[in-house]
Coordinates of all heavy atoms in Angstrom, one line a residue:
M1 N -79.4 13.2 259.3 CA -78.2 14.0 259.6 C -77.0 13.1 259.4 O -76.0 13.5 258.9 CB -78.3 14.6 260.9 CG -77.2 15.6 261.2 SD -77.4 17.0 260.0 CE -76.1 18.0 260.7
R2 N -77.2 11.8 260.0 CA -76.1 10.9 259.9 C -75.7 10.5 258.5 O -74.6 10.4 258.1 CB -76.4 9.7 260.7 CG -75.3 8.6 260.7 CD -75.7 7.5 261.7 NE -74.8 7.6 262.8 CZ -74.8 6.8 263.8 NH1 -75.7 5.8 263.9 NH2 -74.0 7.0 264.8
W3 N -76.7 10.4 257.6 CA -76.5 10.0 256.2 C -75.8 11.1 255.5 O -75.0 10.9 254.6 CB -77.8 9.6 255.5 CG -78.8 10.7 255.4 CD1 -79.7 11.1 256.3 CD2 -78.9 11.6 254.3 NE1 -80.4 12.2 255.8 CE2 -79.9 12.5 254.6 CE3 -78.2 11.8 253.1 CZ2 -80.3 13.6 253.8 CZ3 -78.5 12.9 252.3 CH2 -79.6 13.7 252.6
L4 N -76.1 12.4 255.9 CA -75.5 13.5 255.2 C -74.0 13.5 255.6 O -73.1 13.8 254.7 CB -76.1 14.8 255.7 CG -75.6 16.1 255.1 CD1 -75.7 16.1 253.6 CD2 -76.2 17.3 255.7
K5 N -73.6 13.2 256.8 CA -72.2 13.1 257.2 C -71.5 12.0 256.4 O -70.4 12.2 256.0 CB -72.2 12.8 258.7 CG -70.8 12.8 259.3 CD -70.8 12.5 260.7 CE -69.4 12.4 261.3 NZ -69.4 12.0 262.7
G6 N -72.2 10.9 256.2 CA -71.6 9.8 255.4 C -71.4 10.2 254.0 O -70.4 9.9 253.4
V7 N -72.4 10.9 253.4 CA -72.2 11.4 252.0 C -71.1 12.3 251.9 O -70.3 12.2 250.9 CB -73.6 12.0 251.5 CG1 -73.4 12.7 250.2 CG2 -74.7 10.9 251.4
I8 N -71.0 13.3 252.8 CA -69.9 14.3 252.7 C -68.5 13.6 252.9 O -67.6 13.8 252.2 CB -70.1 15.4 253.8 CG1 -71.3 16.2 253.4 CG2 -68.8 16.2 253.9 CD1 -71.7 17.2 254.5
L9 N -68.4 12.6 253.8 CA -67.2 11.9 254.0 C -66.9 11.1 252.8 O -65.7 11.0 252.3 CB -67.3 10.9 255.2 CG -66.1 10.1 255.6 CD1 -65.0 11.0 256.0 CD2 -66.4 9.2 256.7
A10 N -67.9 10.4 252.1 CA -67.6 9.7 250.9 C -67.1 10.6 249.8 O -66.2 10.2 249.0 CB -68.9 9.0 250.5
I11 N -67.7 11.8 249.7 CA -67.2 12.7 248.6 C -65.8 13.2 248.9 O -65.0 13.2 248.0 CB -68.2 14.0 248.6 CG1 -69.5 13.5 248.0 CG2 -67.6 15.1 247.7 CD1 -70.6 14.6 248.1
I12 N -65.5 13.4 250.1 CA -64.1 13.8 250.5 C -63.1 12.7 250.2 O -62.0 12.9 249.6 CB -64.0 14.3 251.9 CG1 -64.7 15.6 252.1 CG2 -62.5 14.4 252.4 CD1 -64.9 16.1 253.6
L13 N -63.5 11.5 250.6 CA -62.6 10.3 250.3 C -62.4 10.1 248.8 O -61.3 9.8 248.4 CB -63.1 9.1 251.0 CG -63.0 9.0 252.5 CD1 -63.7 7.8 253.1 CD2 -61.5 9.1 252.9
L14 N -63.5 10.3 248.1 CA -63.4 10.1 246.6 C -62.5 11.2 246.0 O -61.7 10.9 245.1 CB -64.8 10.2 246.0 CG -64.9 9.8 244.5 CD1 -64.4 8.4 244.3 CD2 -66.3 10.0 244.0
A15 N -62.6 12.4 246.5 CA -61.7 13.5 246.0 C -60.3 13.2 246.3 O -59.4 13.4 245.5 CB -62.2 14.8 246.6
V16 N -60.0 12.7 247.5 CA -58.6 12.4 247.9 C -58.1 11.3 247.1 O -56.9 11.3 246.6 CB -58.5 12.1 249.4 CG1 -57.2 11.5 249.8 CG2 -58.8 13.4 250.2
L17 N -58.9 10.3 246.8 CA -58.5 9.2 246.0 C -58.2 9.6 244.6 O -57.2 9.2 244.0 CB -59.6 8.1 246.0 CG -59.3 6.8 245.2 CD1 -58.1 6.1 245.8 CD2 -60.5 5.9 245.1
L18 N -59.0 10.5 244.0 CA -58.8 11.0 242.7 C -57.5 11.8 242.6 O -56.7 11.6 241.7 CB -60.0 11.9 242.3 CG -59.9 12.5 240.9 CD1 -59.9 11.4 239.8 CD2 -61.1 13.5 240.7
V19 N -57.2 12.7 243.6 CA -56.0 13.4 243.6 C -54.8 12.5 243.7 O -53.8 12.7 243.1 CB -56.0 14.4 244.8 CG1 -54.6 15.1 245.0 CG2 -57.0 15.5 244.5
G20 N -54.9 11.4 244.5 CA -53.8 10.5 244.6 C -53.5 9.8 243.3 O -52.4 9.5 243.0
I21 N -54.6 9.4 242.6 CA -54.4 8.7 241.3 C -53.8 9.6 240.3 O -52.8 9.3 239.6 CB -55.7 8.2 240.8 CG1 -56.2 7.0 241.7 CG2 -55.7 7.7 239.4 CD1 -57.6 6.5 241.4
L22 N -54.2 10.9 240.3 CA -53.6 11.9 239.4 C -52.2 12.1 239.7 O -51.3 12.3 238.8 CB -54.4 13.2 239.4 CG -55.8 13.2 238.8 CD1 -56.5 14.5 239.0 CD2 -55.7 12.9 237.3
F23 N -51.9 12.2 241.0 CA -50.5 12.4 241.5 C -49.6 11.2 241.0 O -48.5 11.4 240.5 CB -50.5 12.5 243.0 CG -49.1 12.6 243.6 CD1 -48.4 13.8 243.5 CD2 -48.5 11.6 244.2 CE1 -47.1 13.9 244.0 CE2 -47.2 11.7 244.7 CZ -46.5 12.9 244.6
A24 N -50.1 10.0 241.1 CA -49.3 8.8 240.7 C -49.1 8.8 239.2 O -48.1 8.4 238.7 CB -50.0 7.6 241.2
V25 N -50.1 9.2 238.5 CA -50.1 9.1 237.0 C -49.1 10.2 236.5 O -48.3 9.9 235.6 CB -51.5 9.3 236.4 CG1 -51.4 9.6 234.9 CG2 -52.3 8.1 236.7
N26 N -49.1 11.3 237.1 CA -48.2 12.4 236.6 C -46.8 12.4 237.1 O -46.0 13.2 236.7 CB -48.8 13.8 237.0 CG -50.1 14.1 236.3 OD1 -50.2 13.7 235.1 ND2 -51.0 14.8 236.9
N27 N -46.5 11.5 238.0 CA -45.1 11.3 238.5 C -44.6 9.9 238.3 O -44.3 9.2 239.2 CB -45.1 11.7 240.0 CG -45.3 13.1 240.3 OD1 -44.5 13.9 239.9 ND2 -46.4 13.4 241.0
Q28 N -44.4 9.6 237.0 CA -44.0 8.2 236.6 C -42.5 8.1 236.5 O -42.0 7.0 236.3 CB -44.6 7.9 235.3 CG -46.1 7.7 235.4 CD -46.5 6.4 236.1 OE1 -45.8 5.4 236.1 NE2 -47.6 6.5 236.8
Q29 N -41.7 9.2 236.6 CA -40.3 9.1 236.5 C -39.7 8.2 237.5 O -39.9 8.4 238.7 CB -39.6 10.5 236.6 CG -40.2 11.6 235.7 CD -41.3 12.3 236.3 OE1 -42.0 11.9 237.2 NE2 -41.6 13.5 235.8
A30 N -38.8 7.3 237.0 CA -38.2 6.4 238.0 C -36.9 7.0 238.4 O -36.1 7.5 237.6 CB -37.9 5.0 237.3
M31 N -36.7 7.0 239.7 CA -35.4 7.6 240.2 C -35.0 6.8 241.5 O -35.8 6.4 242.3 CB -35.6 9.1 240.5 CG -36.8 9.5 241.2 SD -37.0 11.2 241.4 CE -35.8 12.0 240.5
P32 N -33.7 6.6 241.6 CA -33.2 5.9 242.8 C -33.2 6.8 244.0 O -33.1 8.1 243.8 CB -31.8 5.5 242.4 CG -31.4 6.4 241.4 CD -32.6 6.8 240.7
L33 N -33.3 6.3 245.2 CA -33.3 7.1 246.4 C -32.0 6.9 247.1 O -31.6 5.8 247.5 CB -34.5 6.8 247.3 CG -34.7 7.6 248.5 CD1 -34.9 9.1 248.1 CD2 -35.8 7.1 249.3
N34 N -31.2 8.0 247.3 CA -29.9 7.9 247.9 C -30.0 8.4 249.4 O -30.3 9.5 249.6 CB -28.9 8.7 247.2 CG -27.5 8.5 247.7 OD1 -27.3 7.8 248.7 ND2 -26.5 9.0 247.0
L35 N -29.8 7.5 250.3 CA -29.9 7.8 251.8 C -28.6 7.9 252.4 O -28.4 7.5 253.6 CB -30.8 6.7 252.5 CG -32.2 6.6 252.0 CD1 -32.9 5.4 252.7 CD2 -33.0 7.8 252.2
I36 N -27.6 8.5 251.8 CA -26.2 8.7 252.2 C -25.5 7.3 252.4 O -24.5 7.1 251.8 CB -26.2 9.6 253.5 CG1 -26.7 10.9 253.2 CG2 -24.7 9.7 253.9 CD1 -26.9 11.8 254.4
W37 N -26.0 6.5 253.3 CA -25.3 5.2 253.6 C -26.0 4.1 252.8 O -25.5 3.0 252.8 CB -25.4 4.9 255.1 CG -26.8 4.7 255.6 CD1 -27.5 3.6 255.6 CD2 -27.6 5.7 256.1 NE1 -28.7 3.8 256.1 CE2 -28.9 5.1 256.4 CE3 -27.5 7.1 256.3 CZ2 -29.9 5.8 257.0 CZ3 -28.6 7.8 256.9 CH2 -29.8 7.1 257.2
L38 N -27.1 4.3 252.1 CA -27.8 3.3 251.4 C -28.4 3.8 250.2 O -29.0 4.9 250.2 CB -28.9 2.7 252.4 CG -29.8 1.6 251.8 CD1 -29.0 0.3 251.6 CD2 -30.9 1.3 252.8
E39 N -28.3 3.1 249.1 CA -29.0 3.6 247.8 C -30.1 2.5 247.5 O -29.8 1.4 247.3 CB -28.1 3.7 246.7 CG -28.8 4.2 245.5 CD -27.8 4.9 244.5 OE1 -26.7 5.2 244.8 OE2 -28.2 5.0 243.3
L40 N -31.3 3.0 247.5 CA -32.5 2.2 247.2 C -32.7 2.1 245.7 O -32.3 3.0 245.0 CB -33.7 2.7 247.9 CG -33.6 2.7 249.4 CD1 -34.8 3.4 250.1 CD2 -33.4 1.4 250.0
P41 N -33.3 1.0 245.2 CA -33.5 0.9 243.8 C -34.4 1.9 243.2 O -35.2 2.6 243.9 CB -34.1 -0.5 243.6 CG -34.7 -0.8 245.0 CD -33.8 -0.1 246.0
A42 N -34.4 2.1 241.9 CA -35.2 3.1 241.2 C -36.7 2.7 241.3 O -37.0 1.5 241.0 CB -34.7 3.2 239.8
A43 N -37.5 3.7 241.6 CA -38.9 3.5 241.6 C -39.5 4.9 241.3 O -38.8 5.9 241.2 CB -39.4 3.1 243.0
S44 N -40.8 4.9 241.0 CA -41.4 6.2 240.6 C -41.4 7.1 241.7 O -41.4 6.8 242.9 CB -42.8 5.9 240.0 OG -43.7 5.6 241.1
L45 N -41.4 8.4 241.4 CA -41.3 9.5 242.4 C -42.6 9.4 243.3 O -42.5 9.6 244.5 CB -41.3 10.8 241.7 CG -41.2 12.0 242.6 CD1 -39.9 12.0 243.4 CD2 -41.2 13.3 241.7
S46 N -43.7 9.0 242.7 CA -44.9 9.0 243.6 C -44.8 7.9 244.6 O -45.3 8.0 245.7 CB -46.1 8.7 242.7 OG -46.0 7.5 242.0
V47 N -44.1 6.8 244.3 CA -44.0 5.7 245.3 C -43.1 6.2 246.4 O -43.4 6.0 247.6 CB -43.3 4.5 244.6 CG1 -42.9 3.4 245.7 CG2 -44.3 3.8 243.6
W48 N -42.0 6.9 246.1 CA -41.1 7.4 247.2 C -41.8 8.4 248.1 O -41.7 8.4 249.3 CB -39.9 8.0 246.6 CG -38.9 7.0 246.0 CD1 -38.4 7.0 244.8 CD2 -38.4 5.8 246.6 NE1 -37.6 5.9 244.5 CE2 -37.6 5.1 245.7 CE3 -38.6 5.2 247.9 CZ2 -37.0 3.9 245.9 CZ3 -38.0 4.0 248.1 CH2 -37.2 3.4 247.2
L49 N -42.6 9.3 247.4 CA -43.3 10.4 248.2 C -44.4 9.8 249.0 O -44.6 10.2 250.2 CB -43.8 11.5 247.3 CG -42.7 12.3 246.6 CD1 -43.3 13.3 245.6 CD2 -41.9 13.1 247.7
L50 N -45.2 8.9 248.5 CA -46.2 8.3 249.3 C -45.7 7.4 250.4 O -46.3 7.3 251.5 CB -47.2 7.5 248.4 CG -48.0 8.3 247.4 CD1 -48.8 7.5 246.5 CD2 -48.9 9.3 248.2
G51 N -44.5 6.7 250.1 CA -43.9 6.0 251.2 C -43.4 6.9 252.3 O -43.5 6.5 253.5
A52 N -42.8 8.0 251.9 CA -42.4 9.0 253.0 C -43.6 9.5 253.8 O -43.5 9.7 255.0 CB -41.7 10.2 252.3
L53 N -44.7 9.7 253.1 CA -45.9 10.2 253.8 C -46.4 9.1 254.8 O -46.7 9.4 255.9 CB -47.0 10.5 252.8 CG -48.4 10.8 253.4 CD1 -48.3 12.1 254.2 CD2 -49.5 10.8 252.3
A54 N -46.4 7.8 254.3 CA -46.8 6.7 255.2 C -45.9 6.6 256.4 O -46.4 6.4 257.5 CB -46.9 5.4 254.4
C55 N -44.6 6.7 256.2 CA -43.6 6.6 257.3 C -43.9 7.8 258.3 O -43.8 7.6 259.5 CB -42.2 6.6 256.8 SG -41.7 5.1 256.0
G56 N -44.1 9.0 257.8 CA -44.4 10.1 258.6 C -45.6 10.0 259.5 O -45.6 10.3 260.6
V57 N -46.7 9.4 258.8 CA -47.9 9.2 259.6 C -47.7 8.2 260.7 O -48.1 8.4 261.8 CB -49.0 8.8 258.6 CG1 -50.2 8.2 259.4 CG2 -49.4 9.9 257.7
L58 N -47.0 7.1 260.4 CA -46.7 6.1 261.4 C -45.9 6.6 262.5 O -46.1 6.3 263.7 CB -46.1 4.8 260.7 CG -47.0 4.0 259.8 CD1 -46.2 2.9 259.1 CD2 -48.2 3.5 260.6
L59 N -44.8 7.4 262.2 CA -44.0 7.9 263.2 C -44.7 8.9 264.1 O -44.6 9.0 265.3 CB -42.7 8.6 262.6 CG -41.7 7.6 262.1 CD1 -40.6 8.4 261.4 CD2 -41.1 6.8 263.2
G60 N -45.6 9.7 263.5 CA -46.5 10.6 264.2 C -47.4 9.9 265.2 O -47.6 10.3 266.3
M61 N -48.0 8.9 264.7 CA -48.9 8.1 265.6 C -48.1 7.4 266.7 O -48.6 7.4 267.8 CB -49.6 7.0 264.7 CG -50.6 7.5 263.8 SD -51.3 6.3 262.7 CE -52.0 5.1 263.8
L62 N -46.9 7.0 266.4 CA -46.1 6.4 267.5 C -45.7 7.4 268.5 O -45.7 7.2 269.7 CB -44.8 5.7 266.8 CG -43.9 5.0 267.8 CD1 -44.6 3.8 268.4 CD2 -42.6 4.6 267.0
A63 N -45.3 8.6 268.0 CA -44.9 9.7 268.9 C -46.1 10.1 269.8 O -45.9 10.5 271.0 CB -44.4 10.9 268.1
M64 N -47.3 10.1 269.3 CA -48.5 10.6 270.1 C -49.1 9.5 270.9 O -49.9 9.8 271.8 CB -49.6 11.1 269.1 CG -49.2 12.4 268.5 SD -48.8 13.7 269.6 CE -50.3 13.9 270.5
S65 N -48.6 8.2 270.8 CA -49.2 7.2 271.5 C -48.9 7.3 273.0 O -49.8 7.0 273.9 CB -48.8 5.8 271.0 OG -47.4 5.7 271.3
G66 N -47.8 7.9 273.4 CA -47.5 8.1 274.8 C -48.4 9.1 275.4 O -48.9 8.9 276.5
V67 N -48.7 10.2 274.7 CA -49.6 11.2 275.2 C -51.0 10.6 275.3 O -51.7 10.8 276.3 CB -49.6 12.4 274.3 CG1 -50.7 13.4 274.6 CG2 -48.2 13.1 274.2
Y68 N -51.4 9.9 274.3 CA -52.7 9.2 274.3 C -52.9 8.3 275.5 O -53.9 8.4 276.2 CB -53.0 8.5 273.0 CG -54.2 7.7 273.0 CD1 -55.5 8.3 272.8 CD2 -54.2 6.3 273.2 CE1 -56.6 7.6 272.8 CE2 -55.4 5.6 273.2 CZ -56.6 6.2 273.0 OH -57.8 5.5 273.0
L69 N -51.9 7.5 275.8 CA -52.0 6.5 276.9 C -52.0 7.2 278.2 O -52.8 6.8 279.1 CB -50.8 5.5 276.8 CG -50.9 4.5 275.6 CD1 -49.6 3.7 275.6 CD2 -52.1 3.7 275.7
R70 N -51.2 8.3 278.3 CA -51.2 9.1 279.6 C -52.6 9.7 279.8 O -53.2 9.7 280.9 CB -50.1 10.1 279.6 CG -50.0 11.0 280.8 CD -48.9 11.9 280.8 NE -48.8 12.8 279.7 CZ -49.4 13.9 279.5 NH1 -50.2 14.4 280.5 NH2 -49.3 14.6 278.4
L71 N -53.2 10.3 278.8 CA -54.5 10.9 278.9 C -55.6 9.9 279.2 O -56.5 10.2 279.9 CB -54.8 11.8 277.7 CG -54.0 13.0 277.5 CD1 -54.3 13.7 276.2 CD2 -54.2 14.0 278.6
R72 N -55.4 8.7 278.6 CA -56.4 7.7 278.8 C -56.4 7.2 280.3 O -57.4 7.0 280.9 CB -56.1 6.5 277.9 CG -57.1 5.5 277.8 CD -58.3 6.0 277.1 NE -59.3 4.9 277.0 CZ -60.5 5.0 276.7 NH1 -61.0 6.2 276.5 NH2 -61.3 4.0 276.7
A73 N -55.1 7.1 280.8 CA -55.0 6.7 282.2 C -55.6 7.8 283.2 O -56.3 7.5 284.2 CB -53.5 6.5 282.6
L74 N -55.4 9.1 282.8 CA -56.0 10.1 283.6 C -57.5 10.1 283.6 O -58.2 10.3 284.6 CB -55.4 11.5 283.2 CG -54.0 11.9 283.5 CD1 -53.6 13.1 282.8 CD2 -53.9 12.0 285.0
L75 N -58.0 9.8 282.4 CA -59.5 9.8 282.3 C -60.0 8.6 283.1 O -61.0 8.8 283.8 CB -59.9 9.6 280.8 CG -61.3 9.4 280.5 CD1 -62.1 10.6 280.9 CD2 -61.6 9.1 279.0
T76 N -59.4 7.5 283.0 CA -59.8 6.3 283.8 C -59.8 6.6 285.3 O -60.7 6.3 286.0 CB -59.0 5.1 283.5 OG1 -59.0 4.8 282.1 CG2 -59.4 3.8 284.2
R77 N -58.7 7.2 285.8 CA -58.6 7.6 287.2 C -59.7 8.6 287.6 O -60.3 8.5 288.6 CB -57.2 8.2 287.4 CG -56.9 8.3 288.9 CD -55.5 8.8 289.2 NE -54.5 8.1 288.4 CZ -53.5 8.7 287.7 NH1 -53.4 10.0 287.8 NH2 -52.6 8.0 287.1
A78 N -60.0 9.6 286.7 CA -61.0 10.6 287.0 C -62.4 9.9 287.1 O -63.2 10.3 287.9 CB -61.0 11.7 286.0
Q79 N -62.6 9.0 286.2 CA -63.9 8.3 286.2 C -64.1 7.5 287.4 O -65.2 7.4 288.0 CB -64.1 7.4 284.9 CG -64.3 8.2 283.6 CD -64.3 7.4 282.4 OE1 -63.7 6.3 282.4 NE2 -64.9 7.9 281.3
R80 N -63.0 6.8 287.8 CA -63.1 6.0 289.1 C -63.3 6.9 290.3 O -64.2 6.6 291.1 CB -61.8 5.2 289.2 CG -61.9 4.2 290.3 CD -60.6 3.3 290.4 NE -60.0 2.9 289.1 CZ -58.8 3.2 288.7 NH1 -58.0 3.9 289.4 NH2 -58.4 2.8 287.5
H81 N -62.7 8.0 290.3 CA -62.9 9.0 291.4 C -64.3 9.5 291.4 O -64.9 9.6 292.5 CB -61.8 10.1 291.3 CG -61.9 11.1 292.4 ND1 -61.6 10.8 293.7 CD2 -62.3 12.4 292.4 CE1 -61.7 11.9 294.5 NE2 -62.2 12.8 293.7
N82 N -64.8 9.8 290.2 CA -66.2 10.3 290.1 C -67.2 9.3 290.6 O -68.1 9.6 291.3 CB -66.5 10.7 288.6 CG -67.8 11.3 288.4 OD1 -68.4 11.8 289.4 ND2 -68.2 11.4 287.2
Q83 N -66.9 8.0 290.3 CA -67.8 6.9 290.7 C -67.8 6.8 292.3 O -68.8 6.6 292.9 CB -67.4 5.6 290.1 CG -68.4 4.5 290.4 CD -68.0 3.2 289.7 OE1 -66.8 3.1 289.2 NE2 -68.9 2.2 289.6
Q84 N -66.6 6.9 292.8 CA -66.5 6.9 294.3 C -67.2 8.0 295.0 O -67.9 7.9 296.0 CB -65.0 6.8 294.7 CG -64.3 5.6 294.4 CD -62.8 5.7 294.7 OE1 -62.3 6.8 295.0 NE2 -62.1 4.6 294.6
Q85 N -67.1 9.2 294.4 CA -67.8 10.4 294.9 C -69.3 10.2 294.8 O -70.0 10.6 295.7 CB -67.4 11.7 294.1 CG -65.9 12.0 294.3 CD -65.6 12.4 295.8 OE1 -66.4 13.0 296.4 NE2 -64.4 12.0 296.2
R86 N -69.8 9.6 293.7 CA -71.2 9.4 293.6 C -71.7 8.4 294.7 O -72.8 8.6 295.2 CB -71.6 8.9 292.2 CG -71.5 10.0 291.1 CD -71.9 9.4 289.8 NE -71.7 10.3 288.7 CZ -72.6 11.2 288.3 NH1 -73.7 11.2 288.9 NH2 -72.3 12.0 287.3
K87 N -71.0 7.4 294.9 CA -71.4 6.4 295.9 C -71.4 7.0 297.3 O -72.3 6.8 298.1 CB -70.4 5.2 295.9 CG -70.6 4.2 294.8 CD -69.6 3.1 294.9 CE -69.7 2.2 293.7 NZ -68.7 1.1 293.8
E88 N -70.4 7.9 297.6 CA -70.4 8.6 298.9 C -71.6 9.5 299.0 O -72.2 9.6 300.1 CB -69.1 9.4 299.0 CG -68.9 10.2 300.2 CD -68.7 9.3 301.5 OE1 -68.4 8.1 301.4 OE2 -68.9 9.9 302.6
L89 N -71.9 10.2 297.9 CA -73.0 11.2 298.0 C -74.3 10.4 298.2 O -75.2 10.8 299.0 CB -73.1 11.9 296.6 CG -74.2 13.0 296.5 CD1 -74.0 14.1 297.6 CD2 -74.1 13.6 295.1
D90 N -74.5 9.3 297.5 CA -75.7 8.4 297.7 C -75.8 7.9 299.1 O -76.8 7.9 299.7 CB -75.7 7.3 296.7 CG -76.0 7.7 295.3 OD1 -76.5 8.9 295.1 OD2 -75.6 6.9 294.3
R91 N -74.6 7.5 299.7 CA -74.6 7.0 301.1 C -75.0 8.1 302.0 O -75.8 7.9 303.0 CB -73.2 6.5 301.4 CG -73.2 5.8 302.8 CD -71.7 5.3 303.1 NE -70.8 6.4 303.2 CZ -70.7 7.2 304.3 NH1 -71.5 7.1 305.3 NH2 -69.8 8.2 304.3
L92 N -74.5 9.3 301.8 CA -74.8 10.5 302.7 C -76.3 10.9 302.5 O -76.9 11.2 303.5 CB -73.9 11.6 302.4 CG -72.5 11.5 302.8 CD1 -71.6 12.7 302.3 CD2 -72.4 11.3 304.3
R93 N -76.9 10.8 301.4 CA -78.3 11.1 301.2 C -79.2 10.1 301.9 O -80.1 10.5 302.6 CB -78.6 11.1 299.7 CG -78.2 12.3 298.9 CD -78.6 12.2 297.5 NE -78.1 13.4 296.8 CZ -77.9 13.4 295.5 NH1 -78.1 12.4 294.7 NH2 -77.5 14.6 294.9
V94 N -78.8 8.8 301.8 CA -79.6 7.8 302.5 C -79.4 8.0 304.0 O -80.4 7.9 304.8 CB -79.1 6.4 302.1 CG1 -79.7 5.3 303.0 CG2 -79.5 6.1 300.7
Q95 N -78.2 8.3 304.5 CA -78.0 8.5 305.9 C -78.8 9.7 306.4 O -79.4 9.7 307.5 CB -76.5 8.7 306.2 CG -76.2 8.9 307.6 CD -74.7 9.2 307.8 OE1 -73.9 9.1 306.8 NE2 -74.3 9.4 309.0
E96 N -78.9 10.7 305.6 CA -79.7 11.9 306.0 C -81.1 11.6 306.1 O -81.8 12.1 307.0 CB -79.4 13.0 304.9 CG -80.2 14.3 305.2 CD -79.9 15.4 304.2 OE1 -78.7 15.6 303.8 OE2 -80.9 15.9 303.7
L97 N -81.6 10.8 305.2 CA -83.1 10.4 305.2 C -83.4 9.6 306.5 O -84.5 9.7 307.0 CB -83.5 9.7 304.0 CG -83.5 10.5 302.7 CD1 -83.8 9.6 301.5 CD2 -84.6 11.6 302.8
K98 N -82.4 8.7 306.9 CA -82.6 7.9 308.1 C -82.6 8.7 309.3 O -83.3 8.4 310.3 CB -81.6 6.8 308.2 CG -81.7 5.8 307.1 CD -80.6 4.7 307.3 CE -80.7 3.6 306.2 NZ -79.6 2.6 306.3
E99 N -81.9 9.8 309.3 CA -81.8 10.7 310.5 C -83.0 11.6 310.7 O -83.2 12.1 311.8 CB -80.5 11.5 310.5 CG -79.3 10.7 310.6 CD -78.0 11.5 310.5 OE1 -78.1 12.7 310.2 OE2 -76.9 11.0 310.7
L100 N -83.8 11.8 309.7 CA -85.0 12.7 309.8 C -86.0 12.0 310.7 O -86.2 10.8 310.7 CB -85.6 12.9 308.4 CG -84.8 13.8 307.5 CD1 -85.5 13.9 306.1 CD2 -84.6 15.2 308.0
P101 N -86.7 12.9 311.5 CA -87.7 12.3 312.5 C -88.9 11.8 311.8 O -89.4 12.0 310.8 CB -88.0 13.5 313.4 CG -87.5 14.7 312.8 CD -86.5 14.3 311.7

């Protein structure tokens, strides 16, 4: 089952790579990027679009890192509390066995 997941993932990655190559080949027009206060040199349209995609992905990851860290801290706290509860339960079970006649 694990190898099937790997094969499917490889096929998907190969398809995405193929689409990316076709996208880059079909968008060879060089155009400068004007950012109102800054004009960047001319590069192919695919470079600008893929660069915008990469910046968006990085900004999204940065924006979600706060949520991830908060959830990770909550998980750690809950695991610690769970461990304390298990120790208390084990202690009470042992105490109950000692009290039996």
Side-chain angles (χ1 to χ4, degrees):
M1 189 65 174
R2 181 175 251 179
W3 66 271
L4 181 63
K5 183 179 176 183
V7 168
I8 292 172
L9 182 62
I11 291 171
I12 290 171
L13 288 176
L14 188 62
V16 168
L17 182 64
L18 180 64
V19 169
I21 291 171
L22 289 173
F23 177 76
V25 168
N26 289 327
N27 291 296
Q28 292 291 328
Q29 304 92 336
M31 44 186 9
L33 185 61
N34 188 353
L35 298 175
I36 299 173
W37 64 88
L38 177 68
E39 184 159 340
L40 298 174
S44 70
L45 182 60
S46 61
V47 169
W48 291 126
L49 290 175
L50 292 174
L53 175 67
C55 288
V57 167
L58 291 175
L59 287 174
M61 289 172 57
L62 182 64
M64 290 304 297
S65 65
V67 174
Y68 173 78
L69 292 175
R70 182 175 51 87
L71 290 175
R72 190 75 176 159
L74 285 172
L75 177 63
T76 303
R77 190 176 313 136
Q79 286 174 338
R80 192 177 313 122
H81 182 69
N82 188 16
Q83 186 179 15
Q84 289 173 351
Q85 295 295 322
R86 285 181 187 271
K87 285 181 182 177
E88 178 71 15
L89 183 61
D90 289 342
R91 188 183 62 78
L92 289 173
R93 284 180 180 157
V94 169
Q95 182 181 357
E96 181 180 310
L97 289 175
K98 288 180 180 178
E99 290 177 357
L100 288 175

